[in-house]
Amino acid sequence: MEPREVKLYGAWGSAHAAMARNALALKGVRYEYVEEDLDNKSEALLRLNPVHGKVPVLVVDGRPLAESFVIIEYVDETWPEGRGYPPALLPREPLARATARFWARFFHDEVSPLSRAVVLADAEAERAELAREMKARMAVLEAGITEDFPCGGGGEDGPFVHGRSPGLLDVILGSCAAGTRVLSAVSGVEIVEPGAMPRVHASVAAFDELVAGFGTTVPHELLLARLLERKARSRAAAA
């Protein structure tokens, strides 16, 4: 039986919330969206996610699920391709599915944490150094995608990591694209160069075009202003 009531708690500018929203949109799932103020979190959010108190939280018939990767997999399994929904976000073949999960976890553990460090760094040289480290880790991801998912990246194979339709890694990379562009702007380092990372770049470009009508795209200038504002508040609070 399909869920009757689906509600998502998210926040503007949150890449992880965008992952959940994009996964739901790709599957054509109707849901209620609740915008959270991360500087003044609601009692509902803290009750639904008492462990981390973060977005996204997906509430399905009253039961909460936290963390973007967990939500994406749940959405993929609950609204499967075989029941008339769009193609699966994770590969069907067990080894390919496990490999996609590995690279998703690599991005979460090794790449994503550097985002906050780049934004909060005060010295220009420090920001650039952190961005170069992030770029180096993205290059590892690029090499892994090229090796493990040879079909994709453009042409007849399709532009996405998993081929002609977006999958788990496309959702992750595409949902983080706005933030990555902001990090490049504040650091002066182009983190995803088309020539150096053709697979990642192709995935992000195709995903940007695909989700343009989902309402999850964050304008670059607004996101940059928001991050700089939050950085200023953090510095003032620490002073």
Side-chain angles (χ1 to χ4, degrees):
M1 180 181 297
E2 290 186 10
R4 291 171 295 178
E5 184 181 40
V6 182
K7 181 184 294 188
L8 179 70
Y9 288 75
W12 189 92
S14 165
H16 288 278
M19 292 177 200
R21 293 185 70 185
N22 285 328
L24 288 162
L26 285 169
K27 286 292 186 174
V29 179
R30 298 181 64 181
Y31 65 96
E32 177 186 350
Y33 178 69
V34 180
E35 176 72 17
E36 281 286 334
D37 178 357
L38 298 184
D39 292 323
N40 185 25
K41 298 175 183 178
S42 70
E43 291 184 7
L45 176 64
L46 297 176
R47 183 180 70 253
L48 293 166
N49 187 3
V51 177
H52 301 299
K54 296 179 179 180
V55 296
V57 175
L58 185 70
V59 183
V60 182
D61 292 338
R63 299 183 63 183
L65 282 173
E67 299 200 7
S68 53
F69 294 174
V70 173
I71 292 171
I72 292 171
E73 290 207 38
Y74 171 81
V75 168
D76 199 34
E77 293 174 3
T78 303
W79 291 276
E81 180 180 3
R83 297 219 307 262
Y85 291 97
L89 298 175
L90 280 119
R92 294 189 186 90
E93 196 274 318
L95 181 58
R97 188 163 60 247
T99 302
R101 288 186 178 121
F102 171 84
W103 288 115
R105 182 53 58 186
F106 174 85
F107 183 88
H108 183 272
D109 293 346
E110 303 296 334
V111 179
S112 187
L114 288 171
S115 300
R116 180 175 174 81
V118 172
V119 172
L120 293 180
D122 289 324
E124 182 177 341
E126 183 184 4
R127 284 196 301 273
E129 181 60 31
L130 288 165
R132 282 191 289 270
E133 177 59 30
M134 187 174 184
K135 182 175 182 176
R137 297 184 189 185
M138 286 292 287
V140 174
L141 177 61
E142 169 77 22
I145 288 172
T146 303
E147 175 70 22
D148 294 331
F149 301 101
C151 293
E156 294 183 358
D157 289 334
F160 298 106
V161 172
H162 301 286
R164 295 179 181 175
S165 60
L168 172 66
L169 295 174
D170 301 293
V171 172
I172 292 169
L173 293 170
S175 300
C176 292
T180 302
R181 287 190 282 266
V182 165
L183 296 176
S184 294
V186 300
S187 67
V189 176
E190 189 174 6
I191 295 171
V192 178
E193 290 186 71
M197 300 181 199
R199 291 296 302 276
V200 171
H201 183 266
S203 167
V204 168
F207 199 84
D208 274 347
E209 183 176 350
L210 180 65
V211 304
F214 289 177
T216 58
T217 303
V218 178
H220 170 80
E221 295 79 7
L222 294 180
L223 181 59
L224 177 58
R226 173 70 66 86
L227 290 176
L228 292 177
E229 178 187 348
R230 290 179 67 88
K231 177 180 179 179
R233 286 205 303 268
S234 295
R235 292 176 65 182

